[in-house]
Amino acid sequence: MRSSIFAGLVGVSAVGAVKPLVDVSYSKYQGVSLENGITQWLGVRFAAPPVGNLRFAAPQDPVKNKTTIVANTFGNTCLGTGSAASNTSSEDCLFMNIYAPSNATTGHPLPVYFFIQGGGFNTNSNPNYNGTGLIEASNHNIVVVNFNYRVGPYGFLASEEITKGGSTNNGLKDQIKALQWVQKNIRKFGGDPDHVVLGGASAGAASITLLLTAHNGRNDGLFHATAAESQSFAAVRSINESQFMYDNLVIRTGCVDSKDTLACLRGLNATYLQSKNINTPFPGAQNPPLYMYGPTLDNDVVSDLTMSAYRKGNFIKLPAIYGDDTNEGTVFVPANTSSIGESNTFLKDQFPLLTTPQLKQINALYPNNASNVFPNSGAWWRQASDAYGELRYNCPGINVSDIYAATFSRKDIWNYHWDVIDPVAAAAGRGVTHTVEINAIWGPENTRGNAPVSYSTTNAAIVPVTQAYWTSFIRSFDPNTYRLKGSPMWEAWTQGQKQRLHFVTNATAMENVDAGQKARCEYLSSIALDIKQ
């Protein structure tokens, strides 16, 4: 619990600097000034608790109170699908953290890095990363914000009943609410509301693509550049196509006989609802997908399929980074995948609209290499991993970069290929895994124990290189302006030159996309709308 008094603040604010005690109109938050010259405000509420009648509703403004809250404790993360409630997760979870140089001023506000965590829209999987490392890497020239948003049914349940009595895409609306909060309040923390860079990993990077295309690409001025890591392109379903999720939840919870099934769901306590919060197969699939809940085509926030919106030009055209890891699929595909049938079944479980001719073509593009034998894994694990990784992550990032450059002649689009070999992951056959670069961007000591050990030993040299590119982009909308001395120029992705930065410890350099990946991505792009990406 946060106390209303705190005696451990370090140092005194410089003249003209932002003070640790900040009034955001509905509450006052007492930040903590650290010895490294950074002040942090943890667990700042940016919306009302989404409980009771606000379950399955759009986020509302926080309730005003006169309390001074000592912001030295993280707020609870949001409840995820397939997990039990815990002492660190709750339905009351709409909190953010702000990190700023202690000498930041309101008169000379700093660029803001607004990070959207991942988790497949079913969990909060990157909560409460420590922003101090990025600020130090920027020479104390940025402000960092991260936050929670609703996931699973709390954030993405969709149905006719939800449309009439609640709100769809609440997880995305939570993100928009947090961005609106930044516009209103971040200057009080030393940040510049006119210089906000969105960052995100996996579903957080998918969120970036969805926010860029939201409302048919309407620019509300909430952000000004984007950096997407392992952008995830899942299928986007309509309200009608999502109805089965609502109906199944109503059946499992015993709300079928209620006159108002939505009121019944809202009346359940969160512990019981969590016990019924599971994934079930998509129509046309045989097994539950990795992630069932997700953004819905509601003709409001999400007004088109993501790839369709990009192709039509219905997105906000801003400086952007897109990129991926070499082996995006290995952490997702069951390691015991042992046959072509199991491989195809896995792919169709995730994308049930894949047809048998399309699966046949995917099999041809991704032949199984029988000589690839990995510990404790089935013979088709890496084949399925390669196909799934490029289908959902690598190729959409390449194809979107093409759209920026070829269709709209943008010269401020950069792409990367993360290929930093971790010995432990390599020995296990996982290769260079999904979103592992997040540990270099934030610094391995700042990702809550998730970083590979090598990022502090044999791969330590890649960290300052990566942080310099990212903080340069945050500060100037260009990764090269403040890049580390001696590191290569990160050339833009262009129509004629499909080039990207190849991150390798002590050997980072530009590379062209190879012909094989180009061909595979061209095919996967041709079926993207068929499978509703």
Side-chain angles (χ1 to χ4, degrees), residues 97-348:
N97 309 311
I98 303 112
Y99 301 84
S102 298
N103 62 358
T105 67
T106 57
H108 295 87
L110 299 172
V112 177
Y113 182 57
F114 181 94
F115 178 74
I116 308 174
Q117 63 181 302
F121 296 116
N122 283 235
T123 62
N124 285 168
S125 65
N126 315 118
N128 304 324
Y129 281 1
N130 188 336
T132 61
L134 273 168
I135 291 175
E136 290 174 328
S138 75
N139 295 315
H140 289 69
N141 281 304
I142 64 173
V143 171
V144 175
V145 177
N146 56 15
F147 69 107
N148 300 321
Y149 57 94
R150 282 173 288 174
V151 291
Y154 307 95
F156 295 101
L157 193 63
S159 69
E160 181 182 352
E161 294 84 354
I162 291 286
T163 301
K164 291 179 179 178
S167 170
T168 55
N169 288 318
N170 292 317
L172 293 178
K173 290 174 181 176
D174 292 344
Q175 297 173 10
I176 294 169
K177 188 74 169 177
L179 282 165
Q180 292 169 339
W181 187 99
V182 165
Q183 286 297 305
K184 182 177 180 180
N185 295 295
I186 202 64
R187 191 179 292 273
K188 300 171 184 176
F189 298 82
D192 186 353
D194 296 321
H195 189 130
V196 177
V197 176
L198 295 193
S202 192
S207 298
I208 289 174
T209 67
L210 289 156
L211 292 171
L212 284 167
T213 59
H215 304 292
N216 281 313
R218 185 182 77 203
N219 190 349
D220 292 335
L222 299 178
F223 53 91
H224 312 94
T226 63
E229 307 154 39
S230 298
Q231 59 289 307
S232 171
F233 274 62
V236 178
R237 292 171 176 80
S238 69
I239 301 293
N240 287 341
E241 290 165 336
S242 303
Q243 183 73 41
F244 81 96
M245 304 180 203
Y246 181 90
D247 293 344
N248 286 352
L249 188 61
V250 166
I251 292 168
R252 288 198 302 275
T253 55
C255 285
V256 167
D257 291 334
S258 174
K259 292 182 180 179
D260 185 338
T261 56
L262 180 57
C264 181
L265 290 177
R266 282 175 164 159
L268 301 174
N269 70 64
T271 301
Y272 176 74
L273 186 54
Q274 277 302 96
S275 72
K276 307 300 180 183
N277 181 8
I278 60 172
N279 288 331
T280 59
F282 290 126
Q286 300 182 48
N287 305 292
L290 294 167
Y291 307 109
M292 182 179 70
Y293 293 104
T296 306
L297 191 61
D298 62 359
N299 297 314
D300 179 24
V301 175
V302 183
S303 48
D304 200 353
L305 299 179
T306 312
M307 193 60 74
S308 175
Y310 273 108
R311 291 174 181 174
K312 294 174 183 174
N314 293 335
F315 66 97
I316 309 171
K317 299 163 189 70
L318 301 172
I321 291 173
Y322 293 92
D324 300 275
D325 307 271
T326 304
N327 306 106
E328 286 283 355
T330 53
V331 297
F332 297 109
V333 177
N336 63 355
T337 302
S338 301
S339 69
I340 190 171
E342 291 177 0
S343 170
N344 289 170
T345 297
F346 173 82
L347 293 176
K348 193 167 174 64

Side-chain angles (χ1 to χ4, degrees), residues 16-97:
V18 171
K19 292 180 171 55
L21 181 61
V22 178
D23 188 344
V24 291
S25 75
Y26 54 87
S27 292
K28 293 181 180 179
Y29 285 94
Q30 177 70 63
V32 178
S33 298
L34 308 173
E35 293 180 347
N36 59 6
I38 296 169
T39 300
Q40 60 184 25
W41 295 263
L42 309 180
V44 175
R45 188 182 293 280
F46 67 88
V51 299
N53 287 334
L54 293 184
R55 180 184 284 172
F56 312 128
Q60 301 298 309
D61 290 338
V63 176
K64 292 186 177 182
N65 62 62
K66 299 180 180 179
T67 306
T68 295
I69 299 170
V70 175
N72 64 345
T73 305
F74 293 121
N76 288 320
T77 57
C78 297
L79 296 174
T81 297
S83 63
S86 70
N87 58 2
T88 60
S89 63
S90 169
E91 199 172 357
D92 180 8
C93 61
L94 299 183
F95 299 97
M96 66 169 53
N97 309 311

Side-chain angles (χ1 to χ4, degrees), residues 330 333-340 342-343 368-385 428-429:
T330 53
V333 177
N336 63 355
T337 302
S338 301
S339 69
I340 190 171
E342 291 177 0
S343 170
N368 192 36
N369 187 343
S371 64
N372 281 347
V373 179
F374 300 100
N376 304 311
S377 63
W380 287 77
W381 170 54
R382 284 297 293 266
Q383 183 273 348
S385 298

